[in-house]
């Protein structure tokens, strides 16, 4: 019988797999899909994953190489996860080798064993100790520790002699001691500090929470996509915890995804207080071995609950029972570089393949999710806040009527004073960090540009710098205009400037700022949050970092300083994002017994979006926004794929995309691709970024299937276009940023 051919995916940007013969002295039966191997690739050795076995290859026998080494004796991913990764590679049109690499912890990609192992040693039964010289005290010390003929690990031997490792090497060489590897039972990082394990009273569920929990429980054991639309403060987390308890009772595991920024100590404390060390956390602060340990614990089933950010959707699970995606509307679930997947959408695909429910939770669901839930009827609502908490009242402040000084209107300043005098906390939201977005010359009209982007530099006064928020370029802050030498001025407001203004207006109120400049390490955020909890801080100003996941029970006034940023954007998703930010930030107010107040500063108080939001809430806004999307043929009523090209000059990027459009039109003529629109090419709205010129071409389709068929035919053609050589290009299926 001829030897099988193994199709192997290797971590390279090439959209292909590689054919190999089995390793020497290896039973071909051991070579199953999902097993990792080392293979020769060109002149290097690369880690690969067996994707398929076949009997045919186009590679001539003389060039066909053998697998070097087989790493695993069982597949790394079960068949469901393996299938999901292949689907993701197809759907997002991303090389399969890179998809596998993205799905496994870094150390597994370097060949680490899937099951944790450690070295052990024992005395050979036939060992002749007589040959060992008496004066070799080092060797005798270790032999003494091994004289029971049992296996010993390093902990058992470490005390025998200072150079016990050297002695063991010697003894193994002499054939007196043998060594082996044993499986290690994983020791887990407890998700939070030990104090978290103190008994916390379990709150009573209200009627809506009860009903929701019953619906989730009824869905266990089969595939459903459930949307849990709960207003902020409605007790979604408590519903998650109860649902997870049911999953554990069935002997199954729960996978919980949260945006990085919402993975707060507060959230983790609640999980560990309820479930103790059954919980593991996968977040960006873990080192490689912690990540691998957590992943192994999930794969063996030792960890019953896995909480993580986007890439945790690829965690191997022994017995999955429920997937929860908290804050499902959050943009961080979509990877924007390289393998551009949506963890939310893959979460749904994964749940379907496992035959288990997926629960999408949000106070501000994405329009895609909301539309799907309305169609399927799988919409669970928590329309009221849990406990005593009252919903906040929203009010618009017309900036045309009340001019703002340094970003704050008079009514806002007065209300801040009143809330402070009553002993409460005030939160101000501005999604723009730095001191001012523009450095401007009033005399000639110059404003400081980034040399590498079509963008202005942001003033960072405290650091005495001008910084580009798009490419990171920095230069010293200047006082005079380079063209006319007049004095220049910072124009507009950033969080740093608001902080300065607040310190002048309310010198008695301790102040904290939360943005990427003031909080650079995870520990700093925890420390500031603790000071807010302790009510040491009275005034809090922040970017969207404050709007996610945190609970500020003593904040009674929220001020949204500039609602106008998202009102007139070219991006069709901008209004959805604005509405989500407003509702999320507003939700931080008055979450305990004090009713909250939300003031929204705008120059466009009559704008229909703001009116919808104020009069009919997020649901009402969503109705209007969905009607607009349908009329304009945008998602969720159509599907998109964005082809981006970058080059050192714009002409090359546009030429490549024009050639791509021609290729797409040829394919469309040959087959049935009705309902696909090819829009563009056009320069990206910020054409030059970090010195690179960017353009894009948008494919819009009535059906995901047709779009996928077109992409499958088009992408190989794009690789072959002569104009492809002078550009870098990428494909983004279901893009959420059109820039
Ligand atoms: Zn000037
Ligand atoms: Zn720049």
């Amino acid at each position: 019988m001829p030897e099988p051919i193994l199709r192997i995916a290797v971590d390279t940007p090439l959209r292909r797999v590689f054919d190999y013969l089995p390793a020497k002295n290896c039973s071909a039966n051991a070579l199953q899909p999902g097993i990792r191997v080392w293979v020769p690739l060109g002149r290097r050795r690369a880690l690969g994953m067996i994707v398929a076995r076949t009997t045919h290859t186009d590679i001539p026998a003389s060039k066909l190489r053998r697998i070097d080494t087989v790493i695993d004796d069982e597949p790394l991913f079960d068949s469901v996860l393996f299938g999901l990764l292949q689907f993701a590679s197809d759907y997002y049109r991303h090389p399969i080798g890179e998809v596998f690499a993205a799905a496994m912890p870094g150390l597994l990609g370097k060949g680490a064993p899937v099951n944790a192992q450690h070295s052990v040693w024992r005395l050979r039964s036939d060992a002749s100790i007589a040959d060992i010289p008496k004066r070799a005290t080092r060797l005798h010390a270790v032999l003494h520790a091994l004289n029971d003929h049992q296996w010993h690990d390093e902990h058992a031997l470490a005390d025998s002699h200072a150079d016990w490792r050297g002695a063991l090497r010697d003894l193994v060489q002499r054939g007196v001691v043998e060594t082996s590897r044993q499986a290690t039972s994983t020791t887990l990082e407890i998700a939070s500090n030990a104090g978290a394990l103190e008994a916390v009273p379990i709150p009573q569920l209200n009627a809506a929470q009860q009903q929701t929990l019953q619906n989730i429980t009824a869905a266990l054991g089969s595939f459903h996509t459930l949307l849990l639309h709960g207003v902020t403060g409605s007790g979604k987390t408590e519903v998650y915890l109860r649902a997870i308890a049911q999953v554990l009772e069935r002997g199954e595991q729960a996978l919980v995804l949260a945006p990085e920024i919402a993975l707060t100590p507060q959230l983790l404390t609640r999980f560990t207080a309820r479930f103790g060390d059954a919980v593991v956390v996968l977040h960006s602060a873990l080192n490689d071995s912690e990540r691998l340990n957590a992943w192994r614990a999930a794969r063996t089933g030792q960890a019953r609950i896995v909480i993580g950010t986007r890439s945790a959707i690829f965690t191997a699970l022994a017995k999955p029972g429920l997937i929860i995606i908290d804050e499902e509307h959050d943009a961080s679930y979509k990877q924007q570089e390289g393998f551009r997947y949506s963890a939310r959408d893959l979460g749904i695909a994964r749940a379907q393949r496992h035959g288990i429910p997926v629960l999408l939770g949000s106070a501000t669901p994405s329009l895609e999710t909301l539309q799907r839930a309305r169609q399927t009827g799988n919409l669970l609502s928590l329309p009221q806040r849990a406990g005593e908490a009252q919903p906040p009242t929203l009010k618009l402040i017309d900036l045309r009527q009340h001019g703002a000084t340094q970003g704050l209107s008079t009514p806002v300043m007065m209300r801040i004073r009143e809330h402070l005098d009553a002993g409460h906390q005030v939160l101000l939201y501005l999604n723009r960090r730095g001191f001012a977005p523009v450095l401007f010359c009033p005399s000639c009209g110059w404003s400081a540009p980034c040399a590498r982007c079509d963008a202005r530099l942001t003033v960072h006064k405290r650091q005495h710098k001008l910084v580009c928020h798009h490419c990171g370029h920095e230069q010293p802050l200047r006082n005079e205009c380079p063209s006319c030498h007049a004095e220049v001025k910072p124009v507009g407001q950033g969080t740093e400037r608001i902080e300065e203004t607040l310190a002048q207006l309310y010198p008695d109120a301790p102040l904290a700022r939360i943005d990427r400049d003031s909080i650079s390490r995870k520990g700093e955020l925890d420390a500031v949050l603790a000071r807010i909890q302790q009510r040491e801080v009275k005034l809090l100003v922040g970017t969207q970092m404050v709007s996610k996941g945190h609970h500020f029970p003593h904040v009674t006034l929220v001020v949204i300083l500039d609602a106008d940023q998202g009102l007139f954007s070219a991006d069709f998703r901008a209004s959805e994002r604005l509405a989500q930010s407003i509702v999320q930030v507003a939700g931080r107010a008055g979450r305990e017994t004090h009713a909250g107040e939300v003031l929204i500063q705008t120059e466009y108080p009559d704008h229909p979006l703001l009116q919808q939001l104020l009069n009919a809430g997020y649901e009402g806004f969503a109705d209007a926004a969905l009607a607009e999307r349908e009329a304009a043929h945008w998602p969720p009523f159509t599907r998109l794929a964005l082809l981006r090209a970058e080059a050192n000059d714009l002409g090359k990027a546009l030429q490549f995309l024009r050639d791509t459009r021609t290729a797409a039109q040829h394919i469309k003529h040959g087959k049935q691709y009705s309902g696909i629109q090819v829009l563009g090419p056009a320069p990206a709205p910020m054409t030059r970024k970090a010195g690179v010129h960017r353009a894009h071409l948008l494919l819009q389709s009535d059906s995901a299937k047709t779009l996928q068929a077109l992409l499958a035919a088009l992408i190989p053609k794009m690789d072959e276009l002569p104009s492809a050589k002078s550009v870098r290009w990428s494909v983004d299926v279901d893009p959420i940023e059109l820039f």
Side-chain angles (χ1 to χ4, degrees), residues 22-38:
K24 274 189 186 138
N25 311 322
C26 169
S27 141
N29 283 339
L31 298 170
Q32 297 302 324
I35 282 186
R36 292 173 302 154
V37 292
W38 287 108

Side-chain angles (χ1 to χ4, degrees), residues 450-457 467-473 686 688-691:
C450 176
R452 308 173 67 217
C453 305
D454 294 329
R456 291 181 178 128
L457 296 172
V467 181
C468 176
H469 285 186
H470 305 283
C471 73
H473 168 77
M686 188 195 294
R688 204 167 45 105
K689 184 175 174 186

